[in-house]
Amino acid sequence: MEDFRRNDEVMLVARGLASGASGNDEGSKERLGCCGLASVAIGNQEGSDERPAARGLASGASGNDEGMLAVWPRLRSETTKEATSSSAARGLSSGVSGNDEGSKERLGCSWFGFGCDRKPRRKRRAACCSRVGLGIEARVLELRRVYSTLRALIDVLEYLVGDSVTDGSSRLIMEEVKRIKKSDAALGGDLTPYNIVPLDSPSVTNAIGFFFEVKAAISAIGYSSDLPRIPAEFKVAVLRSMDMFDLLEFVFGFQRDNVRNQRENVVLTIANAQSRLGLPTDVEPKIDEKAINEVFLKVLDNYIKWCRYMAKELDAILDQPEAAHAKSCTSNDDFVSYLQEIITPIYDTLDAEVKRNNNGKAAHSAWRNYDDFNEYFWSPSCFHLGWPMKKDSSFLLKPSKRKRTGKSSFVEHRTFLHLYRSFHRLWIFLFLMFQGLTIIAFHKGRINLDTFKIVLSVGPSFFILNFIESCLDALLMYGAYRTARSFALSRVFIRFTSFGSVSAFVMYLYLKVLDERNSKNSDSTYFRIYILVLGVYVAIRVIFALTVKIPACHRISNVSDRWPFFQFFKWIYQERYFVGRGLYERTSDYARYVAFWLVIFACKFTFAYYLQIYLMDIHIWYTLLSALVGGLIGARARLGEIRSIEMLQKRFESFPEAFVKNLVSDQARRMPLPRQYAQESQDLHKAYAATFAPFWNDIVKSLREEDYISNREMDLLSMPSNSGSLRLVQWPLFLLSSKIPYALELAGACEDTQADLWNRISRDEYMAYAVQECYYNAQNILQSIVDDAEGRLWVERLFREINNSISERSLLVTVLLKKLQLVASRLNALTGLLTRNETPELARGAAKAVYDLYDVVTHDFLTSNLSDFFDTWNILAKARHEGRLFSRILWPTNPELKEQIKRLHLLLTVKISAANIPKNLEARRRLEFFTNSLFMKMPQAKTVSEMMPFSVFTPYYSETVLYSLSDLRVENEDGISILFYLQKIFPDEWENFLERIGRGESTAESLQDSSSDTLELRFWASYRGQTLARTVRGMMYYRRALMLQSYLERRSSVGVEDGYSGADFINTEGFELSSDSRAQADLKFTYVVSCQIYGQQKQKKAPEAADIALLMQRNEALRVAFIHVEDISSSDGIIKEYYSKLVKADVHGRDQEIYSIKLPGDPKLGEGKPENQNHAIIFTRGEAIQTIDMNQDNYLEEAMKMRNLLEEFGGDYGIRGPTILGLREHVFTGSVSSLAWFMSNQETSFVTLGQRVLAYPLKVRMHYGHPDVFDRLFHITRGGISKASRVINISEDIYAGFNSTLRQGNITHHEYIQVGKGRDVGLNQIALFEGKVAGGNGEQVLSRDVYRIGQLFDFFRMLSFFFTTMTVLTVYIFLYGRVYLALSGLDSAISFKAKISGNTALDAALNAQFLVQIGVFTAVPMIMGFILELGLLKALFSFVIMQLQLCAVFFTFSLGTRTHYFGRTILHGGAKYRATGRGFVVRHIKFAENYRLYSRSHFVKALEVALLLIVYIAYGYTENGASSFIILTISSWFLVISWLFAPYLFNPSGFEWQKTVEDFDDWTSWLLYKGGVGVKGEHSWESWWDEEQACNSVKAKCFCIF
C-alpha cells in the first residue's frame, strides 16, 4: 500500500468503475466504459497492487464464473449525424465465461461509433504528416493574429470608455477589461497553465493540440448521452467541453487537479496508441477501436488477473441514468471526497504502524510495513473490509502501545537462518553431495552393494534437513499466527508434522537396513522396503517437479489443478501466492541455464573429489564459466570491434549505411536526390551519406558544446551534407587530412603510367576520395566564380582536355605532374581568399589569384602542345591583351559553394595526423562506442510519430545542482580548489571552453568580469561533477534527438515535389525552433525531476532552488515535482497539509504551477528516495519510464538509439515480453583518481559482462539501479517501481526487479546503448556507499521477496540467483578451525597419520582453502571484459597498471567493507542511506576520522586475523616448516595488511610528514579528551565509544535469537 498516503485518487475502486453483470449475462449490460479506464488511471496513479481497498472491492458479483467478466470501454466518438443509434453510442460488450479454459478469452467487442478504417494507412501517412506540419504552423500564425487583434481591440475599448463611466454595468465592463489586459497568459493564448497538452484552453504557442491523433483522443473521452447525467450545477472549464473525467470527479470526489493530470495522461496514452496504428485523416478525427483495446488491456491486465485469482467479478456503480455521489466516498455531512473517505483512513493506520518502527530501529516484526498492507488483499478476507469501508475493521485497527497488530504471512526476523530457509534446496543439495562423495572417498572409490547401502544414508539426511526447514517455517512465522491466512498456517502445520513423521520413519527403516547389512542371514526385506519408499517419494517429487518447473509440462500442470488430489500435493510442495505464479521459462531457455549449471557441477564435483575446497569452489567455477560465456556472448554481439580511433577511421565508409538501416526510420530513409542519377549504386551510397550527415554533424556539435573538442576539430570531424550536385561521397576532413600533400608527393615522384600512379593512390581509399573531391571541387569552384566568357571557355576546355586524357589513360602526356605542387599552391591562395567575407580589395586579390592560377596551369602544368594551344587561342589572346581575362569574379554566396571552397582549402592545407583527432579520450571513447553499436543487433527504428512514448524520472533531494563560484574557488589546507583541480585533470577541455566563450588565453579570475562568462564557468565545472545540471543536460538530449529525427522525417515526407531542393532538405539549421518538431517530441518524451524539498528550498531562498529554477528556464520541457507543506490553523491548532505539486518555467522564467494534489499526510513514511519517486511518478507520461539517478549523464548519440531500444518491449525474449530493459553504464568518474578508476572497472565489469550473463542464459537479471527502462503501465499497475518500507527496502532498486520477476515480468539486458554514471572517487566515499549497498543486501536476505524467489524459482534458476556475491566469512571459519586443530594437537596428528597411510587428500584439503583466498579468480570477468572491449594488449597493460597502483589492496579492503556491513545488518540491523557527497576528494582525511569509520569494520577484524595467524604459526604444524607456512598464509597476511593500511595508502597527502605529525596529535587529543553531556563522538574517544555501545544495545534489542 505504498500508494495509500499519496493522494486521494492513488487507486481506483474496482467495482466503483466497472459496470458489472453476473456470469450469466450475454453482453446485455454495459461494462466498464472509458470512464472506467479513466478512473483506473486516476485512482491507480501509482499503479497500486491488486488491492480492492485501493481500487475498491469487487463485491456483489455472483462469483459463479472462475474468471472475471471482461469489461470493455465505451468511448464517445464525434460521429456524423447518421451514426446516432444507441448501439453505436454504447458499443457492444462481451464477457469472459468461466467455462472457457483460459486459452480463449472472449474479449472482443464492436465499435460502431469510431468510424475508422481498420486497414493499414501507411501509404497515406506521409501525406498526412506533411499536411499536419504545414497546417499547424499556419494555425499557430492565425491564432497569433487573432490574439494580436484582441489585444488591440482591448486597448481601443479602454481608450474609448476611459474614465467617463458612470453606471454600474460600464464600470464592471471596464474592470473586466483591465483584468484581462493584465493577464499576460490570456492575451498570449495560454489561458490555463498546462503540462503538455492545453486541454482546458487553447494555446497559441503549442502545436500539439492540432495533431490529428490528439484531437481524436480528446474527442474520444468526450461526454456521451448514454452516460449518467451530471447535475447542471456542476461546473467545468469554460473553454472545454464536458467529458468522462468530469463524471468521475463528480461521482467519486476526485481532486480537480488530479483529474486534470490524469485527463492529460489518458489523452496522451490513447493518442500515442492511435499513432502507432496510423494517423486519423478524417475531417473530424476518430480513434480506432484497436487503440482503445490496447490501452484498456494494458491498464487493467493486473486487475483482471486479481479478479480471476480471487474468483470475483466486477460490480456496477455507474449503470444509472442520473449521476450521484458514490456512497463509499460520501461523508456523514454529504461531502464527497475519495481522499477523506478512502485514502485517509488507510493512511492513518499505516502512519500509526510506521511510528512503531522507532525511526527504523525497531524490529521488522514489531510493525506492519507496506507489504503487509498489500498482502491483506491477496485473500478473500479482504472482502470483510466492506464497501463502504468499515472503520472498525481489523485491517484499519491501529496498534496500541502494548499490543501490536499481526503481520500478514511473513515476518522479517533478524537471523542468518533466513539464508537456509530461503535457499534450503541449495544447502540440502550440497550437504547430500558432500556426504555421498565422502562416503565414496572413504571406500576408496569402490562402488558395490555395500557402498551403495552406505550412500543411501542420504535418505534420512534429506528428510531431516527438510524437517529442519519446516521447523524454521514454523519458527520464523512467529508474529503472524493471529493474522496469517488459514491456508498458510495449515500448510506450515502439515509440513511440520509430515516431515517430522517421515524423517522418523525413514530413519527407522535405514537403521534396520544397517542391521540387515551387519547380519549374515538377512533376506534384505527392510532394504527392499526402504528402496520402495524412497522410490515412491522420488517419483512423486519428480512428477511435481516436471509439472511445476518444466515448461513443457505446464499444460499438464494446469489441467491437474482441477483435481483436488493434485491440488493438495502441489499446495504442500509450493505455497500459492498471488505473485510468483508461473515462474517458468521457455524450454530452450530452461535448457540453456540447466546446461550452464551442469557444466559447473561437473567441474566442481570432479575437482572437489580430489581437492575438497567445498565452501568456495562453486563460486570460483561460476565466476570462470560466466566470464567465458559472457565473453563469447559479447563477441557474438560484436562488442569491441571498433576499439581505437584508427579502427574507426578504417571503417567510417560503412557507417552511413549501418546508421540508416538501424537508426533511421523507413520514412526518413527516402531521401530526395537529383532524379537524373537516383538509381546508381554510387548514388545509393551518397544517399546514405546524405542521411547520415546531419545526425553525425549534430553529434559532433554536441561534443563541441560539451568542450570535448575544439573548433578546429569540429571542422575536421564535420561531414558535408552530400546533398549537392557532386556525385562523389564527401567524407569528414579528419579522414582526408594530409592525403592531398602526400598524393602530390606521389604524383611529383611518378615515373610510371597513369594506372600505376592511381593504383598507389587507391591503396588508401580515403586518399582516392580526397584526390577526386579536390579535382571536382576545383572544377566546380572555377566554373562558378569566373565571370567573364573567355575565362569560362578556358575553364571548360581545360577540364574537358584533362577528362579526356584521364579516360584515354594519357594523363601523363597532357600534364607535367612535377608541377602539380605549384598548381596546388596557387589554388590554395585562391581558396584562402574566397573563404573570407567579400571586400573590394579581396575581390581584386581573388581575381589576381585566378589569373596566377591560369598562368601556372597554362605555362607550367600543361605540356607544350596544349600550352601552345591556349596561348594561341584567339579569344583568350584578345581578352588577355585587353586585360579582360579574369578581370572580375563572382564572389561565392551559395552555401553549398562556400562549403566546397572551405573544404578544398582545408584539404590543401591540413597536414595533421588523423590519429590525433579528436585528442580528448572521452570524445574518442564515445565515438568508438557509438560507431561500434551501429553494427550490433537492434530493432529497426520507427518514425517518431509511431514510436513508444516514454518518460525519464530523476529523484533529487539536496545534492549539488550547480557549483557556485564560491564552491569552485574555496581552497583546502593545501591551497587546492575544485576549479584548480578540474583545470589540471581536464586541461584540454578547459582550453576548449575558453575558446568556445571567446576568451582565448584568459584565466579563471578574468571570467568574473562578465556575468554570462561566470555562469558558463559554473556550468562547465558542474558538467564535470556529479551534479543535477549534468543529469538534466544529458536527459534533455532525448528531446533534442527526437526533434532532429522528427524534423528530418517531416522534410522527407515533403520532399522535392513540394518545393524543397536537395540542399534545403539536409539543412537542419534551426530544427529546434520548429513548432511541429517540438510538439512531436513533447508528445513522445517527458522529463520529471522529483525535487522533494524544492518548496522548502524556495521558502528558505536556498541557492539550490535558484539553480533548479535556472535549469527549468534553460530547458522548457523540464518539469519539477515536489512536496509542498502548508500550515493551516484549525480548532486543534496548527496542522500541516501536504501537497504534491508539478511546476514548469513560464515565458518569464518564473515557476508556473501546473498541478497541486493534496495528500492524506506526510508522504515520507518509508525510505526517502523511493517515497520521493512514488509521489511524483503520477506526473510521468508514456508507456515506458527510464529511472535516472541525479549523478548520471547521457549523450546525444546514445539518445538517437532510444527509439530502437523501446522497440525491444515487443521483442522475442521468451514466453513473456520484456518488462524491464537493462542498459549498460559508463562510469565517467574513472579518470578522476586511481580509486575512481578501480571502481569504474569493477562497475563496468558487472554492468556489462556480469549482467549480460545474468540476463542470458541465466534469466535472473534484476534491476540493480538506474538507468533501466521500465514498462510503465505494467509496473504502475503492479505496485510501482519503488518499494519504500523503512529499512527493509533501503536498496529500493533491487526490489523493483524482484517485484517485476515475481509478477511474471521479464528483465533483459542490452549493450548497444549506454548511459553515463558517476561513482564515488575517495576511499571514505566508496566505503560509505558500499556500506549502504551491503546493508541493503543484508536486508534483502530477510525479505519476503528473496524468500519467494528462492522457493518458487526452479532449482537451477535459484542457483543463478544465489551465486551473485561472495564474502570472506569462510576465511574466519577456516582460520578458527585451523587454530583449534593447532591448539588441540590434532593438526600434527592428522598430518602424521595421513603421511603414514599415504592419504594426501585430507592434508591437501586442509591447506587448499588458503590458496584460493588470494582471489585471483574473481578478477577473471574484469580481465575478460578488458580483452573483449580493449583488445588483448591494452587489457594486459591496463591490468598491470592497476596492480602497480595497488588495486588488489583496494579490492581486498572493499571486500571487508561489504562483509562487515552485510553481517552486521542481518544480525543487528543498522542499514541506512549514507550520504557520500559525490564530490571531488581534494582534502586529506585525518587519522582519527579514519579510525572512527574503519575501527569495527577493518582494524579490529584485521588484528583478529593476524592474531589467529600468529597462534597458528606458534602451535600449528606444517610439513616443510616456515616456508610452507608463508606460502599457505600469504593471502591471509595480505588481507591483514590491506585492511590495516589501505586508509593511509589511498589518503591524499597520506605520506606527507607534516600531515602525519598533525594526524598523530589530533588522534591523541581525540583519545585523551574527556566525554560528557553535549560532547560528540568526533571530539572524544569516550563519547564515540558510548555512542557505539548505545547503538549496539538498541540493535541487540531488535535481535531475535533462534
Side-chain angles (χ1 to χ4, degrees), residues 742-753:
Y742 185 56
L744 291 174
E745 293 180 6
L746 290 178
C750 179
E751 300 291 342
D752 302 319
T753 64

Side-chain angles (χ1 to χ4, degrees), residues 388-404:
M389 292 192 301
K390 301 174 184 177
K391 300 301 171 62
D392 58 348
S393 169
S394 60
F395 173 72
L396 299 177
L397 180 65
K398 298 180 181 178
S400 60
K401 293 183 178 179
R402 295 185 178 181
K403 187 177 181 180
R404 67 184 183 186

Side-chain angles (χ1 to χ4, degrees), residues 1170-1416:
E1171 297 286 31
N1172 190 12
Q1173 295 183 168
N1174 287 336
H1175 96 88
I1177 196 173
I1178 61 174
F1179 300 124
T1180 60
R1181 300 290 186 261
E1183 298 176 34
I1185 182 170
Q1186 184 178 31
T1187 52
I1188 292 292
D1189 209 346
M1190 63 75 50
N1191 65 334
Q1192 296 199 247
D1193 196 6
N1194 196 21
Y1195 318 111
L1196 178 62
E1197 64 273 15
E1198 301 305 313
M1200 292 179 180
K1201 293 179 278 190
M1202 193 61 177
R1203 293 189 299 177
N1204 304 78
L1205 179 69
L1206 294 173
E1207 291 303 311
E1208 297 283 5
F1209 280 114
D1212 180 15
Y1213 289 96
I1215 59 177
R1216 292 176 291 273
T1219 53
I1220 298 180
L1221 305 178
L1223 275 66
R1224 64 179 283 159
E1225 294 175 317
H1226 165 69
V1227 181
F1228 55 72
T1229 51
S1231 61
V1232 173
S1233 66
S1234 58
L1235 290 181
W1237 188 39
F1238 300 157
M1239 280 290 290
S1240 172
N1241 292 331
Q1242 177 179 268
E1243 183 78 6
T1244 301
S1245 174
F1246 174 68
V1247 301
T1248 54
L1249 188 143
Q1251 295 186 18
R1252 185 186 310 149
V1253 176
L1254 292 177
Y1256 182 87
L1258 299 184
K1259 305 291 286 186
V1260 292
R1261 187 194 188 277
M1262 298 297 163
H1263 172 59
Y1264 304 104
H1266 313 86
D1268 292 355
V1269 180
F1270 290 76
D1271 184 327
R1272 177 174 172 268
L1273 296 181
F1274 178 91
H1275 285 90
I1276 66 175
T1277 55
R1278 289 166 175 81
I1281 63 173
S1282 301
K1283 283 195 173 185
S1285 295
R1286 193 67 186 271
V1287 181
I1288 192 71
N1289 294 142
I1290 184 68
S1291 297
E1292 81 289 342
D1293 297 326
I1294 191 70
Y1295 287 95
F1298 294 161
N1299 186 52
S1300 184
T1301 300
L1302 286 170
R1303 294 172 183 274
Q1304 301 183 25
N1306 190 5
I1307 305 176
T1308 59
H1309 185 67
H1310 310 276
E1311 296 189 75
Y1312 55 79
I1313 185 172
Q1314 66 176 353
V1315 175
K1317 175 73 173 179
R1319 283 296 182 201
D1320 301 292
V1321 298
L1323 186 65
N1324 289 12
Q1325 290 179 329
I1326 294 171
L1328 290 173
F1329 170 76
E1330 293 191 329
K1332 179 248 182 183
V1333 172
N1337 290 340
E1339 294 291 343
Q1340 292 165 27
V1341 172
L1342 312 180
S1343 70
R1344 65 194 72 201
D1345 303 82
V1346 168
Y1347 169 73
R1348 285 165 184 161
I1349 288 177
Q1351 295 290 311
L1352 301 177
F1353 269 179
D1354 62 71
F1355 178 72
F1356 295 99
R1357 199 173 175 199
M1358 180 268 296
L1359 292 176
S1360 303
F1361 177 74
F1362 179 82
F1363 284 101
T1364 56
T1365 186
M1366 174 181 176
T1367 69
V1368 295
L1369 296 176
T1370 53
V1371 175
Y1372 284 98
I1373 297 172
F1374 190 78
L1375 283 175
Y1376 272 107
R1378 292 307 300 263
V1379 169
Y1380 168 77
L1381 292 176
L1383 293 177
S1384 63
L1386 292 175
D1387 197 11
S1388 58
I1390 291 174
S1391 299
F1392 179 74
K1393 185 176 180 180
K1395 183 184 296 184
I1396 292 176
S1397 62
N1399 186 358
T1400 61
L1402 182 58
D1403 190 53
L1406 291 175
N1407 294 327
Q1409 205 73 26
F1410 278 119
L1411 299 178
V1412 300
Q1413 291 168 20
I1414 197 169
V1416 294

Side-chain angles (χ1 to χ4, degrees), residues 110 247 265 390 883 888 897 973 1407 1539 1562:
S110 300
L247 173 63
N265 182 28
K390 301 174 184 177
R888 65 182 187 278
L897 181 60
E973 63 272 16
N1407 294 327
W1539 285 7
D1562 178 74

Side-chain angles (χ1 to χ4, degrees), residues 365-384:
S365 57
W367 61 288
R368 287 186 291 173
N369 58 25
Y370 288 141
D371 286 328
D372 294 308
F373 278 77
N374 285 339
E375 294 179 15
Y376 174 78
F377 298 98
W378 291 1
S379 69
S381 60
C382 68
F383 296 107
H384 300 311

Side-chain angles (χ1 to χ4, degrees), residues 463-477:
F463 287 105
I464 291 173
L465 291 173
N466 274 284
F467 176 68
I468 294 174
E469 190 266 336
S470 66
C471 292
L472 290 179
D473 281 343
L475 193 61
L476 295 177
M477 202 172 175

Side-chain angles (χ1 to χ4, degrees), residues 522-574:
S522 173
D523 57 358
S524 301
T525 301
Y526 282 103
F527 176 69
R528 294 189 184 95
I529 295 175
Y530 182 75
I531 292 295
L532 178 63
V533 169
L534 291 186
V536 171
Y537 179 80
V538 169
I540 293 175
R541 289 298 295 261
V542 168
I543 291 173
F544 279 110
L546 290 174
T547 56
V548 176
K549 302 299 183 185
I550 305 299
C553 301
H554 266 275
R555 183 172 299 176
I556 300 176
S557 175
N558 293 333
V559 172
S560 67
D561 277 343
R562 300 180 179 181
W563 303 330
F565 175 78
F566 283 97
Q567 268 188 343
F568 174 78
F569 278 100
K570 284 178 66 177
W571 172 64
I572 293 295
Y573 177 72
Q574 185 180 95

